[in-house]
Amino acid sequence: MRLLLTGAKGQLGHSLTQYTPAGWETLFADKVMLDITRESDIERIVCNFKPTIIINAAAYTLVDNAENEKEKAYSVNVNGARLMARAAKLCGASFFHMSTDYVFDGQSFLPYKETDECCPINVYGDSKRKGEIAVLEENGDAIVLRTSWVYSEYGQNFLKTISNLIDQEKEIKVVADQIGCPTYANDIAKVLYQLSYIKNLPGGIYHYSGDTSLSWYDFSKMIASAMNKRDAIIQKVSSNEFQSVAKRPQFSVMDCTKILNLGIQLSNLEKGVQLAIHNLELVER
Ligand SMILES: NC(=O)c1ccc[n+]([C@@H]2O[C@H](COP(=O)([O-])OP(=O)(O)OC[C@H]3O[C@@H](n4cnc5c(N)ncnc54)[C@H](OP(=O)(O)O)[C@@H]3O)[C@@H](O)[C@H]2O)c1
């Protein structure tokens, strides 16, 4: 297999570089090497490298900034995604694209299925939804993997932010009325590689997340406990008290039955948090 990975220096990109199956030839492209909004970059790299699989982990992911940088968010998450899906189709490579639970409005009481109506409530979610549509319009064989609340020892994420604040013994206020399923980036990487081995996997959308739904507040208490630190400094707040630029869905739980039926296991939250904290301590040493 010849893997072209975009967004290789991002959080998920990092995990994908760590778990590439043995024997694969790889081109790990960061934004400097391959800007997915530039057709000429894509053509040059795809023609030269001739991938048999492309994983698009590149994205504009700054949820709050997206509200004021709409053009940038849509350019990367819609146009860039479309160009990558088209390039994969033209060169006959299988194509894997990442999406998010933020395509839903969070008003449901039941886990969202792949077929449920999307109704994003912020610019980032809307750009990702439009990106999914663009990808599948260009390339019906593409696999679009929606995931949620990604954490790991790499990049910018909630687990790292909270663990830093805990280390500094600062008072931490965490939202307790948004519910979702944190997903370990290393598990997502492994699942993408597992999916790539499934023959004749039908193109379309698949949900993959952690196995436990909880609030950001409860997630932060788990992080404190994995660090063996007292969690008394973590205080519950409501979304109304914790104002952010972009609105967030209240309920972000996805139904993962479709991917479970392929024999894929969900990301185990307790194990993932323990590993991420352990690896974070190693990275920081
Ligand atoms: N993080 C989450 O909680 C979460 C949840 C659900 C779904 N997802 C999805 O999972 C995927 C991976 O997310 P992540 O957490 O790994 O995000 P990330 O850490 O922000 O990584 C995205 C990478 O893409 C790069 N990038 C931005 N614009 C680009 C462009 N025009 N061309 C090439 N690369 C570009 C970024 O570079 P710069 O940083 O230099 O801009 C960054 O290295 C995304 O599709 C995201 O929407 C993430």
Side-chain angles (χ1 to χ4, degrees):
M1 295 281 245
R2 295 174 65 76
L3 165 69
L4 169 61
L5 168 65
T6 65
K9 289 223 174 113
Q11 177 179 207
L12 177 61
H14 213 111
S15 293
L16 283 158
T17 64
Q18 306 289 306
Y19 288 94
T20 318
W24 284 27
E25 289 181 56
T26 54
L27 184 61
F28 297 143
D30 64 8
K31 190 163 76 176
V32 178
M33 185 191 289
L34 172 52
D35 179 334
I36 65 164
T37 64
R38 291 165 64 143
E39 211 164 353
S40 55
D41 277 16
I42 300 173
E43 267 174 27
R44 178 175 44 80
I45 286 184
V46 168
C47 283
N48 287 339
F49 183 66
K50 299 187 175 50
T52 56
I53 167 170
I54 299 179
I55 301 180
N56 183 31
Y60 180 101
T61 59
L62 302 171
V63 178
D64 286 320
N65 292 13
E67 298 296 312
N68 297 314
E69 291 190 320
K70 288 189 180 139
E71 224 174 282
K72 209 166 158 190
Y74 287 103
S75 166
V76 181
N77 293 346
V78 187
N79 296 338
R82 179 190 292 283
L83 292 175
M84 290 308 304
R86 185 182 297 164
K89 176 109 187 160
L90 284 173
C91 73
S94 47
F95 185 63
F96 293 82
H97 175 73
M98 294 307 300
S99 193
T100 171
D101 55 311
Y102 278 23
V103 298
F104 298 114
D105 63 10
Q107 293 300 304
S108 178
F109 296 103
L110 291 173
Y112 288 99
K113 292 193 167 72
E114 287 83 351
T115 45
D116 283 344
E117 193 192 341
C118 294
C119 191
I121 57 170
N122 58 39
V123 170
Y124 166 73
D126 190 54
S127 71
K128 292 298 290 183
R129 175 58 187 151
K130 292 196 165 106
E132 294 179 343
I133 295 168
V135 162
L136 291 167
E137 257 172 24
E138 286 294 332
N139 186 341
D141 295 328
I143 305 298
V144 175
L145 191 70
R146 282 187 191 142
T147 191
S148 59
W149 295 26
V150 182
Y151 65 92
S152 70
E153 55 273 33
Y154 305 115
Q156 292 292 323
N157 62 70
F158 182 82
L159 176 137
K160 283 182 71 176
T161 305
I162 294 295
S163 74
N164 277 335
L165 293 171
I166 292 172
D167 272 338
Q168 293 165 32
E169 301 196 339
K170 291 208 168 139
E171 189 186 271
I172 311 168
K173 292 187 172 165
V174 186
V175 171
D177 58 3
Q178 290 169 23
I179 308 293
C181 297
T183 314
Y184 189 28
N186 287 350
D187 289 335
I188 304 173
K190 290 178 196 167
V191 162
L192 284 165
Y193 292 128
Q194 265 181 283
L195 292 176
S196 76
Y197 283 112
I198 300 179
K199 286 210 167 33
N200 303 320
L201 180 62
I205 296 173
Y206 293 79
H207 287 174
Y208 176 74
S209 72
D211 60 0
T212 306
S213 61
L214 76 183
S215 68
W216 289 115
Y217 170 73
D218 286 327
F219 186 27
S220 61
K221 289 209 307 182
M222 269 190 89
I223 295 165
S225 149
M227 294 171 72
N228 294 318
K229 295 277 171 80
R230 66 187 181 94
D231 58 8
I233 47 167
I234 304 175
Q235 284 178 21
K236 264 184 200 186
V237 291
S238 69
S239 305
N240 285 340
E241 288 168 90
F242 192 89
Q243 289 294 328
S244 58
V245 179
K247 280 201 277 180
R248 262 77 172 168
Q250 296 278 116
F251 179 82
S252 263
V253 181
M254 297 190 295
D255 182 322
C256 299
T257 307
K258 187 175 169 186
I259 209 162
L260 284 168
N261 285 341
L262 296 172
I264 304 276
Q265 286 189 350
L266 298 187
S267 175
N268 181 264
L269 181 62
E270 216 165 304
K271 207 166 128 197
V273 170
Q274 291 286 350
L275 272 172
I277 292 296
H278 173 76
N279 293 341
L280 189 57
E281 282 162 5
L282 292 181
V283 168
E284 284 175 350
R285 217 171 269 159

